[in-house]
Structure formats: structure tokens, C-alpha cells
Amino acid sequence: MPQPTRLRAPLARSTLLHMGVRIAVIIALTTFFSYLHMYSTLRTEALAQLEQHVAERGQREQAIFVLAEDNHALLKKTLEERIRALPPQEVSTRFNRLFIHLPDGTIRNRTENIDTTTAPCVFIPRNVEVDAEMRRRILASYDVISWFGPAFYVRFTNTAVTLPEGPFVLYWPNNSSWCLDIPPDFRITDFTHFTISVPQNDPQRKTIWSGVYQDPVSNKPMASVATPLDEQGRHVATLSHDVLLEELMARTINDHLPGAYNVLFRDDGQLIAHPELKGTTDPAAHLRDIVERVKNRPPGETMQALPQYDEYLATARLQGPGWNLVTVLPESVVTRPAFRAARTVLILGLLSLCLELAILYWVLQRQITRPLLAFTQASDRVASGEFHVELDTSRGDELGLLARAFRLMADQVQRREKELHLANEGLEQRVEERTRELKDVHMQLVQTARRAGMAEIATNVLHNVGNVLNSVYTSAQVAKERVAGMRLEHVGRVAQMLQERQSDIGTFLTQDERGRNVMPFLGKLGQNLLDERQEILALLDDVGRYTEHIGDIVKVQQNYARTPRLQEAVQLADLVEDALRINAAGLTRHQVKVVRHLASLPPMLTDKHKTLMILVNLVSNAKYAMDGLPPAERLLSVKMERAGTDRVRIQVHDNGMGIAPEMLTRIFQYGFTTREEGHGFGLHSSALAAQELGGSLSVHSNGPGHGATFTLELPHAPAQETP
């Protein structure tokens, strides 16, 4: 008698669970879309703020560079005018009054006339020929630097004019004695601020900026701006400023939007200032990706995304040096406020859900759960065989309709139970009879399959042994011919000759014409016998190896019904050569030319004899496939190479009869062959052996007359990886 059904999931609880899940999904979706909306709004605002911030920041930071270029425009114009305006009679007088020719060969300021805080210093290296025209340029540069140097010193470290011949005029109050202390052979023209202005480096002859380098005096980062001055196509002077970058670099690193950071770099990718990146595995690669992203941006585009790091980039190009100021804003800065707002929405929604589910549970318990419990108890009684049940059929709702239907169902179940009991008795008898018939048929099929399997194994053994026996017979015949061709009778003749002249054998060997040839003849004969013996031993070694392979073929076929052979370390190229050697006699007889393309591979683990059996079959089939070609055109190509990191591919290609497309799908079937004298066992057994080795054997042909390529792929397991 069945036990009463125990409720594992009461209706009220399961209903609440399903409704709670659905409402929770709705709340989650609402939260998600709220998050998306807030994220989109905050992202738009953050990116607009970022773009505006970078634009304004770029304007502020480039002010010093714009000012430097404006200064150079004024200096260049003033210097041109001053060079033309200096009267010739004044040049020589003033030059000698201001400067002195020292014993070391240089020309420098007269120390008694120089005010280090207001006047520039002048240095002319020795061995520089100072003519009237150069004096004019030096004196004009001295005047211009005197006028403008003190004013420019407020924003710039120094102001200088350098002549291509080597003289220079410098205003540098922080190091005013520098011109007096430098050695006589000092060449200012080797410095960056001058070399960037020469025609080959500045073909457009415009103001140009150097890279960032260390100030040799203060050891602080600085950059130089240079403007060339040409007269009648000749470079006559270079104007320059040195700009300290310490404050700019400090602002770049420390002054940034909340959560963001700044990067300053040149167009060639040289970094000028950047913070220490944290939270990334490779900071250098991170910075390179930022630089590459900015360098490859479309013209005029200032905002970009860097998806691999979840960052946004805003770029401002600093007028003057053309440097790139990039502000990087992590996406988390945008998502964090949106996430906090979404979390609040989610918490409020869950609290509302809990309250709604509590009210719903009370309603379900009274209106549905208790009536349904009565139906459950009635079902238990019907299941136990008690078909007379009492239910409340007076209700006018769906539960009352269900109670009336249940009463009707109980009556019908009682009637049909009796009918099924009678039918079941006859069905059991028919099942027993059918079961006995199926057992007999199954035993017949097992015996038939066993006999078919034994026949297939025997056929494979005979086919593979036949291939190897051909090579055994050929090697034995060649050895026989070698032995038969040995001229051993010459040994007897020489011995007889020596016996006849035994009494005077010394005279015979040294003075007789035939005697003098005996020793060389014996030497050559001995070497010839050694060579013949070596060749015969090699042929007998082949016979031994082929015979061993016959035994292994039988063992391989026996192992089809037992556990596989253990793998061993082999050189795959040696197996390919063995397969060609086993078929050597047939290849020679068929006049087949063999071309090898064997890559150098380390030893690998595989079943040596199964692999050799496959290769022997493939070479043998290729040999017969070329019978229809003229002997001079028969070409067999064997190629071995890697096929990826864990596979090895061996291809055997012939230019013979080819294979029709409709036969490519049947070529590996048991018993299928395209040769009249073939049996169709070799390729079938080879394909099975390739599968057992964990590899595959496939074929490709462009059709009849276009040859065929058989491809053997094997797993590459290096021998040193074995335990």
C-alpha cells in the first residue's frame, strides 16, 4: 500500500518563489537600465568636461612656447635691421672697446667693461677668422641681446645668438662667467640648439624645437627653441632660448582631474612627463599603447577610447614644439557614481519585493494552499486503492470544478484498473517469447562478427607480410649474386704460383715480372673481398631487419584484439628511409625516381612497427600507381614536416594514374582497390593503424592522370617528455 505523498515544495512557497524570481528579474532589469541611463548621462558629462579641461589646459601650457616663438619673431626682425643699420666706422671701434683678444687665441668680453647682470657675454673660439662682416654680426647680436635679454629672462633661462662659424652671444645671469671659463676650443655649434637649425635639419627655415635634455649646469630638464637667420640664402646666425620644463612636468604629473592622470610626449613617442602607473601588469606597454593610440588618431579628433585598459583619452596639441598633452580618464571614474545610484535603486526594490511577497504568502495560504492540500490527500487515497473520496464540490470557482472532475476521474480509474490487470497477464507471456527469440539472433550475430574480424586480421597480415617478403627475396637474391660473382679462383692460382717458386720465392717476388705483381694483386684482392663481404653483410642485415618486421607485423595484427604496444622513441626520418629501403627493389625494378624533403625533427614517441607498416604500404601503392607512365617520368616524392606544434605530417606523392573524385570517399574501405591484382587490404589496415596511433590518413587527387597525395598525420610527443 503506497505511503501518502509528502510535499517537498508547497504551492504557496513555490508560487512565491517563482513570482519573487520574476519580480526580482524585473527589478534587476529596471536597475540595469537605470544604471545604463545614469552611466550614459554621466559618461557624456564626464567626457565633455574632460575635453573642455584638456583644451583649456593645453592653452595654458602652450603659453610659454607661443611666447618663445613670438620673442624669436621679434628678435629675428630686430637682428636683421640692426645688422643693416650698424655704420661701418662704428663697428671696429666698438668691437675693440667691448672685446679683447686673449693669449689663448680666443676673443671674449673685457672684464672691466662687463656688467654680468645686464650685459651679455661673448665668446669667439680660437682659430676663427674674424673679418669685418663677422664683427658686424657679432656686434649687432650683442646689441639685440642687450636690449631684449633682461626682459626675456623673466620667463626664459637664457637668450643667445650663435654664428655658424663658432662665435656666440649669450645672456645668462645665473651663470654670467660661463663665457670666461670655457676652454678656447669650445664649439657651441655642436650643441642641440644650433644643430637643429642648420639647413639640412630645418629645410623650411622656421622656428624649431629640440627634444628634452638635461641642463648641464642645473641638471634640470629643459628644451631649446631655435630660429635660423639667413641672408641671401646663407645661414648667418641662430637665435635660441632655453626653457626649463621642471614646472611643466610637475604640473603634468600632479595637476589633474580627480581620478585621471596626464601624459606628455613628443610625436616620435619620446615621453616627457608621466606618472607612475599602478594597477597594471606592464606600465611600459600601457604607456606605449596610449602613445600609439594618440599618434594614429584621425586629424582633428581630440577624444578617443582605449578599450584594452577601459580608459578615455583627451588630447591637446601644444603649439610650438608640437607636443601632445593627454589626459587619461579611467572608465571606473564614470561608472562608480552610476553604480552607487543603481545599488540604491536595487536595495529599495528588494525591500519592496520582500514586503509584497509577505502579503502574497498570507493570501495564497488561505485561498489556495489549504484546498489543494485536500486534493493531495484524496490523490493518496486513490493511489492506495480507495476510490471513494470526499471533496468540497460546492465551490463555484475553479477549485470546485476541479473537485467534481476529480470525483469523475476516480471512478474511471477504478474501471480501467480492472481492464489493465487482465491485459497485463497476456502481455507478460508475449514478452518472454520475444526475449528468447532476440537472444538466439544475438548469438548468431556475435559468431558472424567474430569470423569476419578473424578473416580481416588474417588478410591484413598476409598483405603486409607479402610486401616485406618481396624485399627479403630481393636482398637474398642480390647477396647470392654477390657471392657467385666473387673471383675466389684467383686466390688458388696465386697460391699455386707461389708453391711452384717456393725455393726461390724472394727472387721471384722481387725480380720476376709476374712475381712483382703478386703483392699488389693480393692487396687489391683482399680489399675487394672486404668490400664484397661488407655489402653481403649489409644485405643480410636488411634480410634480418625485414624478417624482424614480418614478426612485428604479425604482432601488430594480434594486438588489434589486445592492448596496444608500448610506444618507443624513434627517429621518424629513419622510418621513412626504412620504408623506402624495404621497397627499394621494387622501386628500382619499376625505374621510379625518389625525391626526399625530410625536415629535421627530434626523436618522438610512437609505435615504430605500425608506423613503418603504414609507410611501406603507401610507398608500395605509389610505385604501382605509376606503371602507366613512361619510366623516365615516374617520380615519387616523400615530404616530412611539422603540422603545428603538436603534429607531424608525412606526405607520399606520386604523379601516376590519380584517383577519380567518386572514389576518394571509398579508397580506405575494406576490400576496395583500383588495381586488377590488388586486394584492397593495405590502405584499409593503414587507416586503422593511423587511428590507433592517434593520427589520421587522408588522400587528395585532382582526378585521373594527375597523381595522388597520401597524407599521414601523427601526434608529436617528444621522447624527453616521457617519465
Side-chain angles (χ1 to χ4, degrees):
M1 182 174 181
Q3 298 294 325
T5 303
R6 300 183 62 183
L7 296 177
R8 292 181 299 173
L11 179 61
R13 189 174 68 187
S14 61
T15 302
L16 287 176
L17 180 61
H18 286 84
M19 291 185 66
V21 169
R22 286 166 174 78
I23 296 174
V25 170
I26 294 174
I27 293 175
L29 290 175
T30 303
T31 304
F32 176 70
F33 286 115
S34 299
Y35 167 78
L36 291 180
H37 173 70
M38 288 183 286
Y39 169 74
S40 176
T41 303
L42 292 174
R43 177 180 176 276
T44 302
E45 294 176 355
L47 294 184
Q49 180 184 4
L50 176 63
E51 186 173 15
Q52 181 181 1
H53 167 79
V54 171
E56 294 174 354
R57 180 71 175 270
Q59 291 293 330
R60 293 196 305 271
E61 299 296 356
Q62 74 182 7
I64 185 68
F65 305 114
V66 175
L67 178 60
E69 294 191 353
D70 292 343
N71 291 347
H72 276 223
L74 176 60
L75 285 173
K76 181 178 180 180
K77 179 180 179 182
T78 305
L79 182 57
E80 288 177 329
E81 294 174 351
R82 186 58 180 167
I83 291 174
R84 291 193 297 268
L86 274 174
Q89 60 276 14
E90 181 184 343
V91 171
S92 179
T93 303
R94 287 189 60 205
F95 189 88
N96 293 329
R97 187 176 70 251
L98 293 172
F99 314 120
I100 184 173
H101 198 291
L102 298 178
D104 62 1
T106 64
I107 298 176
R108 311 185 192 226
N109 297 74
R110 291 181 180 272
T111 55
E112 66 272 14
N113 295 333
I114 186 170
D115 182 359
T116 58
T117 61
T118 59
C121 68
V122 174
F123 173 78
I124 303 174
R126 64 183 174 189
N127 299 326
V128 174
E129 184 178 351
V130 182
D131 56 13
E133 190 272 337
M134 184 181 295
R135 291 186 176 193
R136 176 186 297 276
R137 284 185 282 149
I138 294 173
L139 198 58
S141 302
Y142 181 86
D143 292 341
V144 172
I145 297 299
S146 299
W147 298 339
F148 294 100
F152 293 159
Y153 180 66
V154 177
R155 298 295 301 275
F156 301 99
T157 303
N158 55 51
T159 305
V161 176
T162 305
L163 275 58
E165 295 86 351
F168 64 90
V169 181
L170 173 67
Y171 181 77
W172 192 5
N174 283 350
N175 201 10
S176 56
S177 63
W178 186 66
C179 294
L180 302 176
D181 299 334
I182 57 178
D185 293 325
F186 181 78
R187 300 295 298 177
I188 194 68
T189 53
D190 295 334
F191 280 53
T192 302
H193 75 274
F194 180 79
T195 57
I196 61 176
S197 68
V198 297
Q200 57 267 33
N201 295 330
D202 186 12
Q204 298 180 358
R205 314 307 289 153
K206 62 180 182 179
T207 300
I208 188 168
W209 287 85
S210 73
V212 180
Y213 61 94
Q214 293 295 116
D215 179 12
V217 176
S218 63
N219 289 324
K220 295 181 179 180
M222 66 187 309
S224 297
V225 56
T227 301
L229 175 61
D230 296 345
E231 284 188 353
Q232 298 179 355
R234 183 171 69 94
H235 185 195
V236 297
T238 293
L239 303 155
S240 64
H241 274 325
D242 287 340
V243 181
L244 286 176
L245 302 177
E246 186 177 24
E247 294 183 1
L248 172 61
M249 296 172 68
R251 288 195 304 273
T252 301
I253 296 173
N254 301 321
D255 184 8
H256 51 75
L257 288 174
Y261 61 91
N262 301 318
V263 179
L264 183 64
F265 61 90
R266 292 172 45 177
D267 283 343
D268 60 2
Q270 179 187 358
L271 292 170
I272 299 172
H274 64 87
E276 181 181 354
L277 298 185
K278 299 179 180 179
T280 179
T281 56
D282 192 349
H286 191 168
L287 290 171
R288 285 197 302 271
D289 291 340
I290 293 175
V291 171
E292 290 300 321
R293 185 66 174 168
V294 172
K295 287 172 61 178
N296 298 327
R297 73 184 190 278
E301 183 175 309
T302 59
M303 294 296 301
Q304 294 173 286
L306 195 63
Q308 60 267 40
Y309 298 103
D310 293 330
E311 293 176 334
Y312 297 102
L313 310 179
T315 306
R317 189 168 179 81
L318 302 185
Q319 183 178 343
W323 295 346
N324 300 285
L325 176 63
V326 180
T327 296
V328 183
L329 181 66
E331 190 173 10
S332 59
V333 176
V334 181
T335 58
R336 195 178 300 116
F339 177 77
R340 287 197 296 264
R343 182 175 57 188
T344 302
V345 173
L346 179 61
I347 293 174
L348 293 176
L350 292 177
L351 291 176
S352 301
L353 174 62
C354 293
L355 180 60
E356 292 172 359
L357 291 179
I359 297 173
L360 183 59
Y361 178 79
W362 181 75
V363 174
L364 288 175
Q365 193 72 20
R366 293 192 58 185
Q367 298 295 324
I368 298 178
T369 302
R370 292 173 184 171
L372 288 181
L373 184 59
F375 280 101
T376 303
Q377 295 170 351
S379 300
D380 292 337
R381 290 196 295 271
V382 171
S384 63
E386 184 182 350
F387 295 101
H388 298 285
V389 295
E390 297 293 335
L391 291 173
D392 184 8
T393 58
S394 61
R395 296 182 56 160
D397 55 11
E398 291 83 353
L399 291 177
L401 181 61
L402 179 61
R404 292 189 289 272
F406 190 88
R407 289 284 301 274
L408 179 61
M409 178 196 66
D411 296 338
Q412 293 178 349
V413 168
Q414 184 179 12
R415 184 178 67 255
R416 291 180 180 176
E417 184 182 13
K418 295 178 181 179
E419 296 173 354
L420 287 173
H421 180 71
L422 296 175
N424 185 53
E425 293 179 354
L427 181 60
E428 290 179 354
Q429 183 178 0
R430 291 195 297 273
V431 169
E432 291 178 359
E433 295 174 355
R434 185 60 176 167
T435 300
R436 286 193 297 272
E437 295 176 1
L438 291 176
K439 287 182 178 179
D440 294 339
V441 172
H442 175 70
M443 291 301 297
Q444 295 175 6
L445 291 175
V446 169
Q447 293 297 330
T448 302
R450 182 178 293 110
R451 288 193 294 271
M454 293 172 62
E456 181 178 351
I457 291 175
T459 302
N460 289 337
V461 171
L462 292 176
H463 178 270
N464 294 321
V465 168
N467 284 338
V468 183
L469 281 178
N470 287 334
S471 298
V472 172
Y473 175 76
T474 301
S475 297
Q477 287 295 110
V478 173
K480 178 181 178 182
E481 293 173 0
R482 291 287 187 183
V483 173
M486 295 175 64
R487 300 178 180 180
L488 300 178
E489 64 274 8
H490 293 308
V491 179
R493 294 176 185 174
V494 172
Q496 182 180 359
M497 185 185 302
L498 294 175
Q499 187 174 6
E500 292 174 354
R501 304 299 298 271
Q502 186 173 5
S503 60
D504 58 343
I505 190 168
T507 303
F508 175 72
L509 293 175
T510 57
Q511 298 180 6
D512 189 274
E513 181 178 357
R514 290 186 302 165
R516 287 197 300 270
N517 293 328
V518 168
M519 298 306 293
F521 171 75
L522 290 176
K524 292 181 181 179
L525 179 61
Q527 183 63 41
N528 181 263
L529 291 175
L530 288 175
D531 294 341
E532 292 289 341
R533 184 184 69 177
Q534 188 66 28
E535 294 181 5
I536 293 172
L537 288 176
L539 291 170
L540 293 177
D541 286 342
D542 289 342
V543 171
R545 187 165 60 255
Y546 300 155
T547 305
E548 178 187 356
H549 183 53
I550 292 173
D552 287 322
I553 289 174
V554 175
K555 293 178 182 178
V556 167
Q557 298 298 336
Q558 290 173 341
N559 288 341
Y560 284 154
R562 297 197 297 269
T563 57
R565 292 176 61 110
L566 291 177
Q567 293 184 331
E568 56 183 306
V570 298
Q571 284 284 358
L572 204 54
D574 293 344
L575 290 187
V576 174
E577 293 294 344
D578 285 345
L580 293 173
R581 194 178 296 110
I582 290 173
N583 286 278
L587 294 172
T588 302
R589 186 173 61 255
H590 287 253
Q591 301 183 38
V592 176
K593 180 181 179 182
V594 179
V595 177
R596 298 168 175 83
H597 301 282
L598 306 179
S600 178
L601 298 177
M604 59 176 284
L605 293 177
T606 188
D607 189 323
K608 172 181 177 181
H609 298 285
K610 283 186 181 180
T611 306
L612 182 60
M613 180 193 70
I614 297 172
L615 295 175
V616 169
N617 280 332
L618 295 182
V619 174
S620 176
N621 286 345
K623 171 187 65 180
Y624 288 115
M626 293 183 285
D627 285 346
L629 291 177
E633 298 179 7
R634 298 172 184 173
L635 179 63
L636 173 65
S637 175
V638 182
K639 182 178 181 182
M640 184 179 71
E641 61 184 358
R642 280 190 180 275
T645 58
D646 58 348
R647 308 284 286 182
V648 177
R649 180 187 298 120
I650 301 176
Q651 291 183 325
V652 179
H653 173 76
D654 65 79
N655 59 345
M657 60 186 296
I659 304 173
E662 62 272 12
M663 295 184 179
L664 288 176
T665 57
R666 304 169 54 200
I667 196 72
F668 296 111
Q669 291 181 2
Y670 177 78
F672 179 80
T673 181
T674 57
R675 291 166 44 211
E676 293 182 0
E677 67 277 12
H679 302 286
F681 307 134
L683 288 178
H684 174 69
S685 61
S686 297
L688 293 178
Q691 291 179 0
E692 292 179 358
L693 294 172
S696 63
L697 181 62
S698 59
V699 62
H700 172 76
S701 176
N702 292 328
H706 295 281
T709 301
F710 285 83
T711 301
L712 172 64
E713 284 199 8
L714 297 174
H716 183 269
Q720 59 268 24
E721 294 183 3
T722 58

